[in-house]
Amino acid sequence: MASMVSGTRTSNPSSVSLSIKGRNFPSITLQPRGRRFQFRCAAKPETVQKVCDIVKKQLALSEDSTVTGESKFSALGADSLDTVEIVMGLEEEFGITVEEDSAQSIATVQDAAEMIDKLLESKA
């Protein structure tokens, strides 16, 4: 698969960013799934940062602990009760309600941030 963007040839991209007339749009990440790709819209960086801060607070991690979008809650030492508390903290911070089914599908900070952005978008 190859594409042409502004005279640049790209083959097998893993991420695509779009900017039109100075306005930036969220990146789209392509993840191989066998012979198919899964499209994921990246969450806003400020949402990811807020989620990182809430996770650090809920898990009582030190300020110098590294928490990124790729961080898995389980790898950070979160058990199921910690995960529930993280979701409650996210609901309070962002003024959203997370359905139980959605909460169970959250494994990483990025998952949580993307879900929050979707909920906020549908709320607007």
Side-chain angles (χ1 to χ4, degrees), residues 97-112:
T97 301
V98 179
E99 298 297 325
E100 189 175 339
D101 293 345
S102 297
Q104 291 178 355
S105 69
I106 301 170
T108 67
V109 169
Q110 186 70 34
D111 292 341

PDB file of all heavy atoms in Angstrom, residues 97-112:
ATOM      1  N   THR A  97     -19.918   9.885  32.618  1.00  0.00           N
ATOM      2  CA  THR A  97     -20.339   8.623  33.220  1.00  0.00           C
ATOM      3  C   THR A  97     -19.847   7.507  32.313  1.00  0.00           C
ATOM      4  O   THR A  97     -20.125   7.513  31.115  1.00  0.00           O
ATOM      5  CB  THR A  97     -21.877   8.557  33.338  1.00  0.00           C
ATOM      6  OG1 THR A  97     -22.309   9.661  34.133  1.00  0.00           O
ATOM      7  CG2 THR A  97     -22.307   7.261  33.985  1.00  0.00           C
ATOM      8  N   VAL A  98     -19.101   6.588  32.897  1.00  0.00           N
ATOM      9  CA  VAL A  98     -18.548   5.467  32.136  1.00  0.00           C
ATOM     10  C   VAL A  98     -19.386   4.228  32.416  1.00  0.00           C
ATOM     11  O   VAL A  98     -19.565   3.840  33.575  1.00  0.00           O
ATOM     12  CB  VAL A  98     -17.071   5.210  32.522  1.00  0.00           C
ATOM     13  CG1 VAL A  98     -16.509   4.027  31.757  1.00  0.00           C
ATOM     14  CG2 VAL A  98     -16.230   6.459  32.281  1.00  0.00           C
ATOM     15  N   GLU A  99     -19.921   3.634  31.356  1.00  0.00           N
ATOM     16  CA  GLU A  99     -20.698   2.405  31.491  1.00  0.00           C
ATOM     17  C   GLU A  99     -19.765   1.266  31.910  1.00  0.00           C
ATOM     18  O   GLU A  99     -18.593   1.252  31.568  1.00  0.00           O
ATOM     19  CB  GLU A  99     -21.375   2.053  30.161  1.00  0.00           C
ATOM     20  CG  GLU A  99     -22.362   3.096  29.666  1.00  0.00           C
ATOM     21  CD  GLU A  99     -23.549   3.276  30.601  1.00  0.00           C
ATOM     22  OE1 GLU A  99     -23.987   2.267  31.204  1.00  0.00           O
ATOM     23  OE2 GLU A  99     -24.020   4.417  30.741  1.00  0.00           O
ATOM     24  N   GLU A 100     -20.307   0.305  32.635  1.00  0.00           N
ATOM     25  CA  GLU A 100     -19.496  -0.803  33.143  1.00  0.00           C
ATOM     26  C   GLU A 100     -18.806  -1.577  32.025  1.00  0.00           C
ATOM     27  O   GLU A 100     -17.636  -1.943  32.133  1.00  0.00           O
ATOM     28  CB  GLU A 100     -20.355  -1.756  33.974  1.00  0.00           C
ATOM     29  CG  GLU A 100     -19.543  -2.804  34.695  1.00  0.00           C
ATOM     30  CD  GLU A 100     -20.382  -3.668  35.621  1.00  0.00           C
ATOM     31  OE1 GLU A 100     -21.478  -3.250  36.010  1.00  0.00           O
ATOM     32  OE2 GLU A 100     -19.918  -4.775  35.930  1.00  0.00           O
ATOM     33  N   ASP A 101     -19.525  -1.794  30.909  1.00  0.00           N
ATOM     34  CA  ASP A 101     -18.922  -2.505  29.773  1.00  0.00           C
ATOM     35  C   ASP A 101     -17.708  -1.767  29.242  1.00  0.00           C
ATOM     36  O   ASP A 101     -16.679  -2.372  28.931  1.00  0.00           O
ATOM     37  CB  ASP A 101     -19.936  -2.691  28.642  1.00  0.00           C
ATOM     38  CG  ASP A 101     -21.066  -3.640  29.017  1.00  0.00           C
ATOM     39  OD1 ASP A 101     -20.924  -4.358  30.023  1.00  0.00           O
ATOM     40  OD2 ASP A 101     -22.082  -3.645  28.304  1.00  0.00           O
ATOM     41  N   SER A 102     -17.830  -0.444  29.137  1.00  0.00           N
ATOM     42  CA  SER A 102     -16.714   0.368  28.646  1.00  0.00           C
ATOM     43  C   SER A 102     -15.554   0.346  29.627  1.00  0.00           C
ATOM     44  O   SER A 102     -14.393   0.265  29.230  1.00  0.00           O
ATOM     45  CB  SER A 102     -17.157   1.816  28.416  1.00  0.00           C
ATOM     46  OG  SER A 102     -18.147   1.873  27.425  1.00  0.00           O
ATOM     47  N   ALA A 103     -15.863   0.421  30.915  1.00  0.00           N
ATOM     48  CA  ALA A 103     -14.816   0.433  31.940  1.00  0.00           C
ATOM     49  C   ALA A 103     -14.000  -0.856  31.914  1.00  0.00           C
ATOM     50  O   ALA A 103     -12.786  -0.830  32.116  1.00  0.00           O
ATOM     51  CB  ALA A 103     -15.441   0.633  33.320  1.00  0.00           C
ATOM     52  N   GLN A 104     -14.642  -1.974  31.626  1.00  0.00           N
ATOM     53  CA  GLN A 104     -13.937  -3.255  31.601  1.00  0.00           C
ATOM     54  C   GLN A 104     -13.003  -3.394  30.407  1.00  0.00           C
ATOM     55  O   GLN A 104     -12.084  -4.195  30.422  1.00  0.00           O
ATOM     56  CB  GLN A 104     -14.937  -4.408  31.627  1.00  0.00           C
ATOM     57  CG  GLN A 104     -15.654  -4.517  32.945  1.00  0.00           C
ATOM     58  CD  GLN A 104     -16.691  -5.624  32.966  1.00  0.00           C
ATOM     59  OE1 GLN A 104     -16.948  -6.265  31.958  1.00  0.00           O
ATOM     60  NE2 GLN A 104     -17.281  -5.852  34.119  1.00  0.00           N
ATOM     61  N   SER A 105     -13.221  -2.585  29.369  1.00  0.00           N
ATOM     62  CA  SER A 105     -12.375  -2.672  28.177  1.00  0.00           C
ATOM     63  C   SER A 105     -11.143  -1.775  28.261  1.00  0.00           C
ATOM     64  O   SER A 105     -10.305  -1.784  27.377  1.00  0.00           O
ATOM     65  CB  SER A 105     -13.182  -2.317  26.928  1.00  0.00           C
ATOM     66  OG  SER A 105     -13.520  -0.942  26.940  1.00  0.00           O
ATOM     67  N   ILE A 106     -11.031  -1.011  29.343  1.00  0.00           N
ATOM     68  CA  ILE A 106      -9.893  -0.101  29.504  1.00  0.00           C
ATOM     69  C   ILE A 106      -8.712  -0.856  30.103  1.00  0.00           C
ATOM     70  O   ILE A 106      -8.804  -1.380  31.208  1.00  0.00           O
ATOM     71  CB  ILE A 106     -10.256   1.085  30.417  1.00  0.00           C
ATOM     72  CG1 ILE A 106     -11.430   1.878  29.838  1.00  0.00           C
ATOM     73  CG2 ILE A 106      -9.051   1.984  30.625  1.00  0.00           C
ATOM     74  CD1 ILE A 106     -11.980   2.903  30.797  1.00  0.00           C
ATOM     75  N   ALA A 107      -7.610  -0.913  29.368  1.00  0.00           N
ATOM     76  CA  ALA A 107      -6.414  -1.591  29.870  1.00  0.00           C
ATOM     77  C   ALA A 107      -5.228  -0.637  29.988  1.00  0.00           C
ATOM     78  O   ALA A 107      -4.329  -0.855  30.788  1.00  0.00           O
ATOM     79  CB  ALA A 107      -6.040  -2.747  28.950  1.00  0.00           C
ATOM     80  N   THR A 108      -5.228   0.429  29.166  1.00  0.00           N
ATOM     81  CA  THR A 108      -4.104   1.367  29.159  1.00  0.00           C
ATOM     82  C   THR A 108      -4.593   2.795  29.368  1.00  0.00           C
ATOM     83  O   THR A 108      -5.787   3.088  29.241  1.00  0.00           O
ATOM     84  CB  THR A 108      -3.342   1.324  27.822  1.00  0.00           C
ATOM     85  OG1 THR A 108      -4.194   1.822  26.791  1.00  0.00           O
ATOM     86  CG2 THR A 108      -2.872  -0.072  27.477  1.00  0.00           C
ATOM     87  N   VAL A 109      -3.665   3.681  29.647  1.00  0.00           N
ATOM     88  CA  VAL A 109      -3.969   5.106  29.765  1.00  0.00           C
ATOM     89  C   VAL A 109      -4.554   5.609  28.448  1.00  0.00           C
ATOM     90  O   VAL A 109      -5.531   6.361  28.435  1.00  0.00           O
ATOM     91  CB  VAL A 109      -2.694   5.897  30.143  1.00  0.00           C
ATOM     92  CG1 VAL A 109      -2.906   7.393  30.020  1.00  0.00           C
ATOM     93  CG2 VAL A 109      -2.246   5.525  31.554  1.00  0.00           C
ATOM     94  N   GLN A 110      -3.998   5.175  27.329  1.00  0.00           N
ATOM     95  CA  GLN A 110      -4.484   5.598  26.001  1.00  0.00           C
ATOM     96  C   GLN A 110      -5.931   5.157  25.790  1.00  0.00           C
ATOM     97  O   GLN A 110      -6.743   5.924  25.288  1.00  0.00           O
ATOM     98  CB  GLN A 110      -3.590   5.021  24.898  1.00  0.00           C
ATOM     99  CG  GLN A 110      -3.929   5.520  23.506  1.00  0.00           C
ATOM    100  CD  GLN A 110      -3.581   6.973  23.294  1.00  0.00           C
ATOM    101  OE1 GLN A 110      -2.612   7.467  23.841  1.00  0.00           O
ATOM    102  NE2 GLN A 110      -4.366   7.668  22.515  1.00  0.00           N
ATOM    103  N   ASP A 111      -6.262   3.928  26.184  1.00  0.00           N
ATOM    104  CA  ASP A 111      -7.642   3.443  26.078  1.00  0.00           C
ATOM    105  C   ASP A 111      -8.588   4.372  26.832  1.00  0.00           C
ATOM    106  O   ASP A 111      -9.651   4.736  26.330  1.00  0.00           O
ATOM    107  CB  ASP A 111      -7.789   2.033  26.663  1.00  0.00           C
ATOM    108  CG  ASP A 111      -7.075   0.953  25.879  1.00  0.00           C
ATOM    109  OD1 ASP A 111      -6.757   1.177  24.692  1.00  0.00           O
ATOM    110  OD2 ASP A 111      -6.830  -0.128  26.463  1.00  0.00           O
ATOM    111  N   ALA A 112      -8.203   4.723  28.055  1.00  0.00           N
ATOM    112  CA  ALA A 112      -9.038   5.596  28.886  1.00  0.00           C
ATOM    113  C   ALA A 112      -9.191   6.969  28.250  1.00  0.00           C
ATOM    114  O   ALA A 112     -10.299   7.513  28.185  1.00  0.00           O
ATOM    115  CB  ALA A 112      -8.433   5.725  30.283  1.00  0.00           C
TER     116      ALA A 112
END
